[in-house]
Structures are given as structure tokens and as C-alpha cells.
Amino acid sequence: MLENIKETANFICSKIKTKPEIGIILGTGLGGLVNKINNQEILEYADIPNFPVSTVEGHSGRLIFGELGSKNVAAMQGRFHFYEGYDMKQVTFPVRVMKELNIKYLFVSNASGGVNPDFETGDLMILRDHINLMPNPLLGKNYEELGVRFLDMSEAYSKKLIAVADETAAELGIKVQHGVYVGTTGPTFETPSEYRYFRIIGGDAVGMSTVPEVIVARHSNIPVFAISIITDLGVEGKIIEVSHEEVQKVGAAAEVKMTELIRNMLEKL
Ligand code: HPA
């Protein structure tokens, strides 16, 4: 694994002039951020050695380097989900590579179903913690060069970055919620009983991504900021049929405020 990470990072360094300070995983709601990146240098995942090979046609993904405001960034357009059949080492490999490229912060976005009755569809939720219900990406041999065997998770989501987000959101007049993200494998959405269960165990929202990448970022000692768009509600009395299309539609509608929030946050780092 170590050789693969180094090989991939060396390849990227040989092709790309930008030295990224910030890694961004462009999930639902941040797709539009790509258009704000200046002086872009782009690598297709398919051309990057050791990157997972996409099975879905037309969704290969790209790694985009460039300047977002005053910061150099590396942005993943397209992430790898466990439910697609990738193993957890593949899902999180890009985070290992971004660490090798020396990023100082990781920003992540996603879509999720709200189980907190105070939430509304279209809300942005800053992750203050998570509950992991997926296989842990750190299972198996631990490489001390990458991080510790028994990882502390008392501050999975950087309090400093959350404070910056709160300040920025207030300045921009963007309403934000805070909450605990329950990470499940998917690909099924939840039954009403599962939504209720996730609320009872302390969740505010549930989704199918983010947690593996966050665990590996923390293993790599990278501070993380993650934000979710509540695209549907798993709240008793408000549960309606969910579809991928609906999730995408609500996600797209929240894109402008999410993009502005992140862009302005970077200026404060
Ligand atoms: N459940 C799980 N994942 C999701 C949901 C949901 O309701 N909405 C968007 N991603």
C-alpha cells in the first residue's frame, strides 16, 4: 500500500504544477465549486496509476488542481462509494494520496436524509460528529508510517473549522444546522423503522459516504470539515418515497449556498 501511495503521488507531482494545501471531495452540492477553480490542471482518474477503476460508464471522475480564491486545492470530482463494490482501502485511497501531496485540510460534502424533526429539506448540516455503521477502513494491518493503530476519534470534525464555518455562514446569511451523521453502506434508503432507529441512537442525518474518508483523513492527522445537504426527511409523518433523482434535485438547489460557504471559508484559513 505504501508503495502504491508514493507511486501515485509521484505521478501526480510529475504532471501537476499546483501544490495543493486543501483537499476537497466534491460530493452532492459541491459540483459547482469546480467552476470557481482557476488555472485548472486536470487528471482523469482512469489515467492515475493505482486509482480505483470506475465500473460505471461515464462516471470515471477527475482530480482537479488549481486555485480557489487564494488557496491551492486538489478537488475530487466523483468519489468512490462502498456500495459500488469498492473495498474500503479503494474508497479511501485518494485521501492517502492527498496526504502524501501534503494537504493541510480536507473538505467533504454529501447528501443525506434528515432524521432530526427540526430539519427541513434543503437545509445544510455541518457534521459535528458521526456514527459509523460501515466496515472500518482501518481494519487489517496498520502501517505506522501512515498513522496509529488505535486512532483517537474524539474530534473527528475540526472544531476550529466548524467555528470558521459558523462565522462565514452568519456573514453570508446562510442558515446552517449542526448534527451527527450516521454512515451506512446503502445502497437501500432506510425503512421508516431504520430512520427511527438512527434518530434514537443519536443521529441527525443518515447517508452512504464520507465516514470512511474522514476516518482515513484523521488517521493521516488531517483536520476535516464536512457538510451535508438534507435532501429528504426520515421523520415520522414526513416520510415520503425517496429516489436518487430527488436527492440530486434538492442537492443541486442547495449548491449555490454550499459553494459560497466553502469558498468564503477558505479565505479565512
Ligand atoms: N438515506 C441514506 N442516504 C441518503 C439519504 C437517505 O435518506 N438521502 C440522501 N442520501
Side-chain angles (χ1 to χ4, degrees), residues 45-106:
Y45 290 169
D47 298 332
I48 304 176
N50 305 319
F51 248 57
V53 177
S54 175
T55 46
V56 191
E57 215 178 317
H59 287 279
S60 60
R62 311 186 302 165
L63 199 49
I64 301 165
F65 296 83
E67 291 152 25
L68 189 55
S70 61
K71 296 291 188 301
N72 284 342
V73 301
M76 286 178 66
Q77 189 176 44
R79 63 146 59 91
F80 302 98
H81 297 92
F82 187 67
Y83 62 71
E84 293 175 87
Y86 301 106
D87 69 38
M88 280 298 185
K89 304 288 177 206
Q90 294 176 306
V91 168
T92 56
F93 183 76
V95 178
R96 295 287 185 201
V97 172
M98 288 200 272
K99 169 68 180 183
E100 191 67 23
L101 295 175
N102 242 333
I103 62 159
K104 299 291 176 265
Y105 298 100
L106 181 69

Side-chain angles (χ1 to χ4, degrees), residues 30 33 107 225 227 258-266:
L30 276 184
L33 199 64
F107 282 66
F225 177 77
I227 185 161
M258 180 106 114
T259 301
E260 278 314 287
L261 179 62
I262 301 292
R263 208 162 62 88
N264 283 279
M265 275 181 76
L266 295 198

Side-chain angles (χ1 to χ4, degrees), residues 9-21:
N10 287 342
F11 170 84
I12 291 171
C13 288
S14 75
K15 300 278 179 201
I16 301 292
K17 288 196 289 291
T18 307
K19 300 279 173 247
E21 312 158 73

Side-chain angles (χ1 to χ4, degrees), residues 111-114 184 188-190 195 206-208 229 231-234 242 247:
S112 64
T184 70
T188 43
F189 292 115
E190 285 64 35
Y195 281 128
V206 51
M208 309 174 194
I229 299 175
T231 55
D232 53 277
L233 294 174
V242 199
V247 167

